[in-house]
Amino acid sequence: MKIISSPQEMTEYSKEMLSQSKTISFVPTMGALHKGHLSLVDEARKHADIVVMSIFVNPTQFGPNEDFAKYPRQLQADIEKIEGWVDVLFAPAQEDMYFPDASTLISENLISKDLCGKSRPKHFAGVCTIVCKLLNIVKPNFAIFGQKDAQQVSVIKRMVRDLFIDTKIIAAPLIRDTDGMATSSRNSYLSDPQRRESLLISQALNEAKDFVDNGCTNVDRITALITNKLDRSSNIRIIYVSIVDSENSMPVDTIISGQTRICIAVWLDTIRLIDNILV
Ligand code: AMP
């Protein structure tokens, strides 16, 4: 695996490959890799000759009181996980991605406003800005994003469409551990008892899906079902339970089977967790 840290070198590499008619799939991550990330690599491999992964903990998508400083950084362990699977790892330094006097931000102003955008008002502008930079640097034909962050997929697709960015965005399925928990780098923050309590989230989503499979299309009933389930834990505080259309992640009034996603964000003590299910 080739490891590149300079944005200029990354661009030169991509231009060279594209000039040889090779195609590039790109998997952007913040590292602390787990099987969710690795599934994106598998998806990337299906579409192109070369798989590029980036690892960059992006400061601009964290709010002032969020976990940027303590976010898990384990580059060496990550390299061992992807050696032989990924062709190029792009792992730039913060100062190479943000000029000291950088004065440009990219913001999507509709889809970003609801769900996570309500409690993390600058988050998606940070995401759009870094993803736009990365796509400009790597110049991939395809970029793979996980449905774990379903709203993020919708926001990125909208940005890429609106800005005529020449990359096809591919959404890959959400990966879970055997106990049902959606895999996440932030799961490493959970103690064993917290992990057990957090299972209520995926259980609530599965129960909601069963209700929908049995014919319930009522948004309020499904929301109440989930809220009641999560309220069983005194350590869980709901940030939102939102029922959205699966393409744009915008709230809907009624559930349409196969086109609706139920999205949850909670605080478990001081740990912010999100999960969702397509129903
Ligand atoms: P992150 O490193 O958390 O920024 O995530 C990088 C990419 O991996 C994003 O596209 C995420 O949606 C995706 N991802 C993270 N966790 C999962 C998961 N459990 N299943 C599928 N994709 C995931």
Side-chain angles (χ1 to χ4, degrees):
M1 181 173 69
K2 194 174 171 65
I3 301 179
I4 298 178
S5 58
S6 143
Q8 291 74 19
E9 195 187 323
M10 184 67 241
T11 298
E12 276 163 29
Y13 172 89
S14 290
K15 281 185 170 170
E16 175 60 27
M17 293 301 123
L18 294 168
S19 77
Q20 295 176 19
S21 299
K22 300 228 169 83
T23 49
I24 301 174
S25 273
F26 176 47
V27 179
T29 81
M30 298 206 298
L33 300 177
H34 51 72
K35 66 181 184 179
H37 296 118
L38 300 182
S39 74
L40 304 187
V41 174
D42 288 342
E43 184 64 32
R45 187 64 69 203
K46 290 184 203 160
H47 297 275
D49 304 314
I50 294 165
V51 176
V52 178
M53 176 186 273
S54 64
I55 294 183
F56 180 68
V57 184
N58 173 38
T60 59
Q61 70 189 70
F62 290 79
N65 299 315
E66 293 183 357
D67 56 344
F68 175 67
K70 78 163 187 177
Y71 196 84
R73 289 162 172 87
Q74 45 188 59
L75 189 59
Q76 206 45 49
D78 286 346
I79 288 171
E80 282 161 28
K81 282 184 192 152
I82 54 174
E83 187 76 65
W85 287 61
V86 165
D87 300 299
V88 180
L89 172 63
F90 177 50
Q94 188 175 316
E95 57 272 23
D96 291 332
M97 292 300 283
Y98 288 97
F99 297 102
D101 59 348
S103 50
T104 307
L105 264 187
I106 305 228
S107 55
E108 188 287 326
N109 292 313
L110 181 69
I111 301 167
S112 299
K113 294 295 171 197
D114 211 317
L115 281 73
C116 286
K118 276 195 177 153
S119 50
R120 307 183 77 190
K122 300 199 173 142
H123 171 69
F124 286 112
V127 169
C128 285
T129 302
I130 194 63
V131 171
C132 186
K133 285 173 193 258
L134 289 167
L135 295 179
N136 282 333
I137 293 167
V138 177
K139 309 195 177 304
N141 306 85
F142 304 92
I144 323 296
F145 291 83
Q147 287 291 18
K148 162 78 171 27
D149 301 279
Q151 186 183 14
Q152 173 171 275
V153 174
S154 299
V155 169
I156 299 290
K157 280 189 172 168
R158 178 62 61 94
M159 172 188 79
V160 162
R161 187 204 72 177
D162 286 352
L163 300 183
F164 295 90
I165 295 175
D166 192 16
T167 296
K168 184 167 169 44
I169 303 302
I170 293 169
L174 189 161
I175 303 296
R176 298 182 180 281
D177 279 325
T178 44
D179 59 5
M181 178 86 175
T183 58
S184 165
S185 306
R186 289 191 169 96
N187 290 356
S188 62
Y189 300 154
L190 296 167
S191 66
D192 287 346
Q194 285 173 325
R195 167 101 191 184
R196 281 194 290 279
E197 279 192 285
S198 70
L199 294 180
L200 282 175
I201 302 165
S202 54
Q203 287 166 6
L205 287 171
N206 277 319
E207 285 174 20
K209 180 169 169 18
D210 286 345
F211 255 64
V212 175
D213 286 347
N214 286 318
C216 178
T217 56
N218 186 299
V219 163
D220 293 336
R221 277 187 65 195
I222 295 293
T223 307
L225 176 92
I226 292 173
T227 308
N228 288 339
K229 178 91 180 182
L230 296 178
D231 281 348
R232 286 189 204 169
S233 162
S234 55
N235 297 317
I236 290 181
R237 279 174 298 130
I238 296 172
I239 303 169
Y240 62 78
V241 173
S242 291
I243 302 188
V244 302
D245 78 279
S246 58
E247 185 55 31
N248 293 316
S249 299
M250 300 283 284
V252 291
D253 296 331
T254 186
I255 295 171
I256 302 175
S257 180
Q259 297 175 33
T260 304
R261 193 177 294 279
I262 306 175
C263 301
I264 296 179
V266 304
W267 287 110
L268 177 58
D269 301 320
T270 57
I271 304 162
R272 194 178 190 282
L273 298 170
I274 59 170
D275 198 349
N276 70 79
I277 199 165
L278 183 69
V279 292

